[in-house]
Amino acid sequence: MHVDELTARAEIHDVLLRYCRGLDRVDMDLVRGAFHEDAWVQFPASLHVGPVDGFLEFLTGEMPRFVRTMHLLGNSLIEFDGPDVAHVETYLQADHQGSELHHWKGEYVKLWARYLDRFERRDGKWLIARRRLLVDWMFRYPTDRWFDDHPDASVGRRDGSDPSLQKVAGYAGKPMADEAWPVRP
């Protein structure tokens, strides 16, 4: 494997991770940044099939109706088709808790799925040109068997206050000031 291919793989993986972070933090700019301007998104027909801008409109209405979400990526197979095209299959597990505004009404739903992506490098930047979501299965947890009473539960921190949004040592090359870290016992 050549260094250019390793670099491309790292850049593609980073796009996938930023997309998930954007979903979970309801940061639609971060989600939008994963796609080329003319990207096409094929989710199940009940959700969205069409241009990426319509997909962003859908997500802008949908994501705030969840109390919290957590999108976890698993296996990711990247196959190159020349120097500027990559076909990527990425396994996904996503947890959702619907709010009273969502049709799940407080229920917890787990999704097992795969993203089938066509990444293209344009102007030196790898982004998604085509995305398809294949849903493998879903499970709706009974609400009477769920508990969430841990005092440190973050409830997803969807208001921009999530600690993951702060820079930490090694990230961006600058260590945090000692006073920014939690007090240790």
Side-chain angles (χ1 to χ4, degrees):
M1 200 173 300
H2 192 268
V3 71
D4 291 338
E5 184 178 327
L6 292 171
T7 300
R9 287 175 184 278
E11 290 173 4
I12 288 167
H13 189 245
D14 190 57
V15 169
L16 294 167
L17 295 178
R18 288 183 186 282
Y19 170 83
C20 290
R21 179 187 232 183
L23 290 176
D24 293 336
R25 300 292 158 253
V26 192
D27 181 341
M28 292 304 114
D29 290 335
L30 199 54
V31 172
R32 181 65 180 93
F35 295 90
H36 284 293
E37 290 295 319
D38 61 346
W40 183 264
V41 178
Q42 183 180 343
F43 269 44
S46 62
L47 301 177
H48 178 78
V49 175
V52 67
D53 290 333
F55 181 59
L56 267 287
E57 287 176 32
F58 161 73
L59 290 176
T60 298
E62 181 75 358
M63 296 310 292
R65 296 187 304 177
F66 291 111
V67 174
R68 68 184 110 211
T69 62
M70 183 176 285
H71 291 74
L72 301 173
L73 301 180
N75 301 345
S76 191
L77 179 63
I78 301 171
E79 296 179 329
F80 291 94
D81 188 4
D84 297 317
V85 174
H87 303 282
V88 183
E89 177 187 34
T90 305
Y91 283 69
L92 160 74
Q93 289 186 27
D95 294 287
H96 306 79
Q97 180 190 9
S99 72
E100 290 302 314
L101 300 174
H102 194 276
H103 66 273
W104 290 338
K105 300 286 183 200
E107 291 183 304
Y108 295 83
V109 175
K110 184 166 196 92
L111 165 74
W112 291 267
R114 289 171 286 144
Y115 291 126
L116 302 181
D117 294 321
R118 176 187 170 97
F119 272 79
E120 294 178 3
R121 181 170 50 187
R122 300 180 192 168
D123 298 321
K125 194 169 186 178
W126 287 98
L127 296 174
I128 301 166
R130 303 284 179 264
R131 163 159 280 184
R132 183 174 178 195
L133 175 72
L134 296 179
V135 176
D136 291 313
W137 72 92
M138 296 176 73
F139 182 77
R140 189 175 295 188
Y141 294 90
T143 56
D144 64 343
R145 294 192 183 138
W146 196 265
F147 73 96
D148 185 23
D149 62 355
H150 193 280
D152 294 330
S154 69
V155 189
R157 304 265 177 110
R158 300 163 73 86
D159 62 357
S161 68
D162 193 277
S164 70
L165 301 176
Q166 298 173 5
K167 305 292 186 202
V168 296
Y171 187 79
K174 298 179 184 176
M176 287 177 54
D178 286 338
E179 61 272 7
W181 288 93
V183 176
R184 293 183 228 181

